[in-house]
Amino acid sequence: MTDNEVVSTWRELSARHAAIVSDLERELHERHGLGVSEFEVLDRLVDGLCLSSDGKFRVQELAAGVPLSQSALSRLIARLEKAGLVLRSMCADDRRGVFVTLTDAGRIRHSEALPTQRRVLRDHLAATSAG
Amino acid sequence: MTDNEVVSTWRELSARHAAIVSDLERELHERHGLGVSEFEVLDRLVDGLCLSSDGKFRVQELAAGVPLSQSALSRLIARLEKAGLVLRSMCADDRRGVFVTLTDAGRIRHSEALPTQRRVLRDHLAATSAG
DNA sequence: ATGCATTCAATGCACAAGCATTTAATGCGT
DNA sequence: ACGCATTAAATGCTTGTGCATTGAATGCAT
């Protein structure tokens, strides 16, 4: 792969990402009052519900799935809690840790927003193979 | 393409983008004092030099190549000017417009940063076909 | 020529992000 | 048991971003 190919691959990737994020941000915000990262976190929590017994997640577990710094994630969770979409609770076995759990409102909000996200992603990605 | 495929394509795209941007940001900042967007703008200016007679660009022309809002771009150019990497000059035929031109320092900085950018991109993209 | 919508770029403002620091809890070595 | 490095998460601070607005210049219709 030549440098020019690498660069044009990068530009394409970058432009695509920007376009999708921009659309997602607008749609999710307008229709559901959520930012892209907020939705992603809710999404991880919902995904994880199937796997985890109690639906509790350490903040750091969520960090793995979302490309945000630890501080950004901490504040994001604070925002979600303030909005009533998640709860933070102490965790018994390591009292430094914080468990994050979805509230009913959070589950509902996520299920409302999910079709919107899917639609936007489909619009951008459905008929393409990354080229 | 199923919804699940769409979503996993999106996650992959997103993770890839985040990883590359993160590396680029760190390397460009540490080694050359440039952010990713700053570099992109310099890059467009350099690219355009070959095509344009005088190397002058309207702000809005740059906007097309960089996924930033108009206001963000305006401030970014102000930063570049403050750093001595570009010049802003009035444009005669439409006095609302602003021409942006590379300074020598800007050209030099770009040429220093270019290999760093290429290296990072190669590290991430060289042996892949987008998925 | 005058008025009015439009366009270019800059700016006020609010908010989100990262870095560095802080606070609290753990665990390891002695 | 005590001290010390380490880890989890929150917070202060600075910076960058977008939205909405502003100010200036343009162009078009009358």
Side-chain angles (χ1 to χ4, degrees), chain B:
Chain B
M1 210 175 186
T2 69
D3 266 17
N4 279 345
E5 286 169 335
V6 168
V7 169
S8 66
T9 300
W10 163 238
R11 290 199 175 159
E12 197 184 320
L13 174 66
S14 179
R16 245 171 121 120
H17 180 265
I20 296 174
V21 166
S22 165
D23 274 15
L24 273 179
E25 200 76 57
R26 183 170 31 70
E27 294 280 312
L28 287 175
H29 189 78
E30 272 178 14
R31 307 164 86 98
H32 311 287
L34 291 172
V36 173
S37 298
E38 273 95 342
F39 177 84
E40 286 293 322
V41 168
L42 292 182
D43 208 41
R44 302 288 163 163
L45 285 168
V46 170
D47 267 15
L49 268 186
C50 317
L51 310 169
S52 167
S53 49
D54 49 5
K56 297 184 177 202
F57 291 86
R58 301 285 294 265
V59 171
Q60 61 176 51
E61 294 178 287
L62 295 172
V66 186
L68 281 179
S69 70
Q70 178 265 318
S71 67
L73 185 59
S74 177
R75 287 182 230 262
L76 191 153
I77 292 170
R79 261 176 275 144
L80 289 177
E81 187 179 41
K82 198 164 139 197
L85 304 178
V86 304
L87 276 179
R88 275 187 292 196
S89 52
M90 294 303 105
C91 91
D93 54 327
D94 182 348
R95 285 155 64 202
R96 292 168 302 185
V98 168
F99 277 138
V100 181
T101 50
L102 272 173
T103 62
D104 289 345
R107 248 181 300 278
I108 291 169
R109 187 77 68 90
H110 174 268
S111 69
E112 290 168 346
L114 189 59
T116 300
Q117 189 231 22
R118 294 285 163 90
R119 178 175 51 72
V120 172
L121 294 185
R122 243 184 289 116
D123 288 350
H124 282 276
L125 301 172
T128 64
S129 62

Side-chain angles (χ1 to χ4, degrees), chain A residues 48-68:
Chain A
L49 269 187
C50 317
L51 310 169
S52 168
S53 50
D54 49 4
K56 296 182 178 204
F57 291 86
R58 301 284 295 263
V59 171
Q60 63 176 50
E61 293 178 287
L62 295 172
V66 186
L68 282 179

Side-chain angles (χ1 to χ4, degrees), chain A residues 75-110:
Chain A
R75 287 184 231 262
L76 190 151
I77 291 169
R79 260 177 275 144
L80 288 177
E81 187 178 42
K82 199 165 140 195
L85 305 177
V86 304
L87 276 179
R88 277 188 289 197
S89 53
M90 295 303 107
C91 92
D93 54 326
D94 181 349
R95 286 156 63 202
R96 294 168 301 183
V98 167
F99 277 139
V100 181
T101 49
L102 271 174
T103 61
D104 289 344
R107 248 182 300 276
I108 290 169
R109 187 77 68 91
H110 173 267

